[in-house]
Amino acid sequence: MINSTLTYPTPRVELTDQHLISHAGLSAMGDLLNAVDFRALCEDRFSQFVPKAAIHRPGKIIADLVLTLAAGGEQACDLDILRTSAGVFGPVSSEATVSRFMGRVKHMPEAFTYGYQTMSKTLRSRLWAAAGDRNPAKRATRINPLIIDIDATLVQAHSDKQGAAGTYKGGYGFAPMIACLDYGQGYGTGEILAVLLRSGNKGANSAKDHIEVLSQALAVLPDDFYDDHGVLIGEKLLVRTDSAGASREFLNLLDLLGLQFSTSYSLPVIKEREIGWISQKKYWEPAIDQHGQQLRDVWVVDATEVMKLKAYPPNTRIYVRAEPLHSGAKASLFDTDGNRVTAFLTNSPYYNIAELDRRHRARGRCENRIKSLKHAGLGKLPYWSFAANQAWALLAALAVNLPAWVQLSVLPVGHQASVWDLKRWRYRLFSIAGKLVRSGRQAKLLIPKHAPEAGLFTLIGDVCQKLHQRWRQGHLTA
């Protein structure tokens, strides 16, 4: 008889009545919600969505849904992961209670959206105040503005849902438009400001939808971006989009609001003399990467005097970038000398061409935030009602923002977790298991001392507790 060596040990599996917690690490996000008094805040904003005598209040219902989405849940029934750990997550509402809550939401979508915006603004104000010198509102200036990224994406629907339609890629579903915040390098991964759910047949270049999602994004910014008369201080903000946001209607509105912008621009068929001028690299400057290092054979130039713009804001400038074609790429009419030529528009008062190009190219970070948003619930909208799915999308945005706020306001500068996306938070922290015990009439959550992120877990809990005390004592204001 030949004995084979097993890949893994095979201990005997038995059931136990011990209080074991499968997602104990997720309670770190609960600590953050406790620190900002999330339950009381939601009671003030969403009490109309539950009966007055209801045991499960809106703050707890919303918090449980948000934690479930952050942990990887895809629908209300996934709340059972929290429900089986009442010692850590408290009493969790049933699926029927959540269904009734969402049923009221779909009949009062405007009230829910308004409540979410005011709640989100208050949360953001409190947590940004706790960030100290890293507060994005304090760091924003005319030369170094805070960046709002706007982009659209596609979400597939695998069954018939209200508002779902055919997409330009041949699929079926929705085309939400998302507004994100980019803190900049070294300050975390950024957060989601607004999610505008749209039918799948909506175009990405809709100026009306860009204006709507921007207005929702501005509504959730702290009061630091408004003067004493409630007027937006537009020069502290920059709106960054792809070429879908380069419509004259949208850019003229941004100029009217005093906002800076940086948007990709689809180059028209140009004249032969302009092609010849582009080929003369003596007019160009070398481009730089995100670390400030000069790139090889990549050039940028201010082409405003050559390519005249019509009906755009008067201070709009156009910058052109040339880089070698990637292997296998096909050259277009505009691509000359083996270079891919692209352009972007901006009204920024900053005139360092290479730096403007670097800042615009960083728009790719927006794609990472949208990817995390899809992993947090936007990718699988569970309801038939369009209004209920819109509310679900906003809860998904809150699930993505929780780790982002921890990175900004809780973790020390340079911590390794300050660059983690949501999926890494799940694998490294949220999946930590624990055991609930009682000692000296006090409940204690035991986690493995040798767990890779045990230190991170305890760090978040300690800092959140201190923040809560500072708010209660009035040492922090928002």
Side-chain angles (χ1 to χ4, degrees), residues 15 44 95 159 164 192 214 216 219 233 246 291 303 325 327 332 351 391 429 453 469 476:
L15 301 181
D44 182 58
E95 296 175 44
S159 62
I192 308 293
L214 175 65
Q216 293 183 14
I233 308 175
H291 302 289
L325 284 169
S327 178
S332 65
Y351 290 93
L429 181 67
E453 304 306 334
Q469 294 300 323
L476 273 177

Side-chain angles (χ1 to χ4, degrees), residues 18 21 38 62 182 192 225 253 330 440 450 472:
Q18 297 184 62
I21 313 298
F38 182 81
I62 292 175
D182 188 350
I192 308 293
F225 288 98
L253 174 70
K330 294 182 179 179
H450 300 294
R472 293 184 63 183

Side-chain angles (χ1 to χ4, degrees), residues 22 46 50 90 111 133 135 229 271 370 385 414:
S22 63
F46 302 106
V50 298
D133 294 337
N135 186 333
H229 303 287
K271 301 177 183 178
I370 293 177
S385 167

Side-chain angles (χ1 to χ4, degrees), residues 2-323:
I2 300 177
N3 294 323
S4 62
T5 302
L6 300 179
T7 305
Y8 296 104
T10 57
R12 180 178 177 180
V13 177
E14 294 183 356
L15 301 181
T16 179
D17 291 329
Q18 297 184 62
H19 296 287
L20 305 180
I21 313 298
S22 63
H23 282 71
L26 187 61
S27 64
M29 299 297 105
D31 292 339
L32 180 68
L33 294 178
N34 286 336
V36 295
D37 208 6
F38 182 81
R39 186 163 183 165
L41 182 59
C42 286
E43 185 68 30
D44 182 58
R45 301 297 195 275
F46 302 106
S47 58
Q48 68 269 41
F49 295 102
V50 298
K52 292 183 178 179
I55 297 176
H56 296 285
R57 306 309 301 169
K60 188 61 166 63
I61 294 174
I62 292 175
D64 288 341
L65 287 172
V66 169
L67 289 188
T68 300
L69 292 175
E74 297 179 344
Q75 47 194 341
C77 67
D78 292 329
L79 284 170
D80 55 6
I81 296 296
L82 306 185
R83 192 178 298 113
T84 56
S85 306
V88 173
F89 299 106
V92 177
S93 58
S94 65
E95 296 175 44
T97 300
V98 174
S99 180
R100 288 191 293 270
F101 178 82
M102 297 304 291
R104 296 184 182 94
V105 168
K106 74 179 183 181
H107 292 301
M108 297 185 290
E110 294 83 5
F112 183 86
T113 300
Y114 177 77
Y116 177 86
Q117 289 178 345
T118 55
M119 178 266 292
S120 179
K121 180 177 180 178
T122 302
L123 286 179
R124 188 167 287 106
S125 299
R126 292 176 180 178
L127 289 163
W128 284 17
D133 294 337
R134 290 184 288 174
N135 186 333
K138 291 183 178 180
R139 292 189 297 106
T141 63
R142 182 169 177 265
I143 300 300
N144 186 30
L146 184 62
I147 297 174
I148 299 177
D149 285 305
I150 298 179
D151 202 358
T153 188
L154 295 178
V155 173
Q156 297 297 318
H158 300 285
S159 62
D160 191 24
K161 301 179 186 295
Q162 186 180 29
T167 68
Y168 74 94
K169 287 190 175 181
Y172 180 79
F174 301 90
M177 189 167 286
I178 297 112
C180 314
L181 268 186
D182 188 350
Y183 298 146
Q185 287 185 327
Y187 296 95
T189 54
E191 60 187 84
I192 308 293
L193 288 179
V195 182
L196 179 65
L197 194 62
R198 308 183 304 157
S199 297
N201 56 1
K202 288 281 190 177
N205 58 350
S206 169
K208 179 181 178 182
D209 291 340
H210 275 82
I211 293 171
E212 174 62 24
V213 76
L214 175 65
S215 66
Q216 293 183 14
L218 296 178
V220 299
L221 289 177
D223 291 332
D224 295 314
F225 288 98
Y226 296 85
D227 61 20
D228 296 336
H229 303 287
V231 178
L232 180 69
I233 308 175
E235 65 178 13
K236 295 174 63 175
L237 295 167
L238 180 139
V239 178
R240 187 169 60 189
T241 73
D242 57 12
S243 58
S247 65
R248 293 174 175 83
E249 180 182 357
F250 181 56
L251 296 186
N252 278 296
L253 174 70
L254 297 181
D255 184 68
L256 182 64
L257 295 174
L259 294 166
Q260 299 183 47
F261 60 80
S262 179
T263 176
S264 299
Y265 181 66
S266 297
L267 289 165
V269 178
I270 60 173
K271 301 177 183 178
E272 182 178 354
R273 67 178 180 85
E274 293 172 352
I275 295 178
W277 174 80
I278 290 294
S279 301
Q280 300 179 40
K281 291 298 184 293
K282 65 180 181 180
Y283 298 109
W284 297 61
E285 295 184 18
I288 58 176
D289 61 16
Q290 295 303 311
H291 302 289
Q293 301 299 316
Q294 183 173 317
L295 293 171
R296 181 180 179 183
D297 296 330
V298 183
W299 307 84
V300 288
V301 67
D302 185 347
T304 308
E305 295 301 321
V306 177
M307 301 178 183
K308 301 295 184 180
L309 299 172
K310 297 181 180 179
Y312 283 96
N315 52 348
T316 302
R317 302 187 307 281
I318 179 171
Y319 293 93
V320 175
R321 174 189 175 100
E323 58 185 328

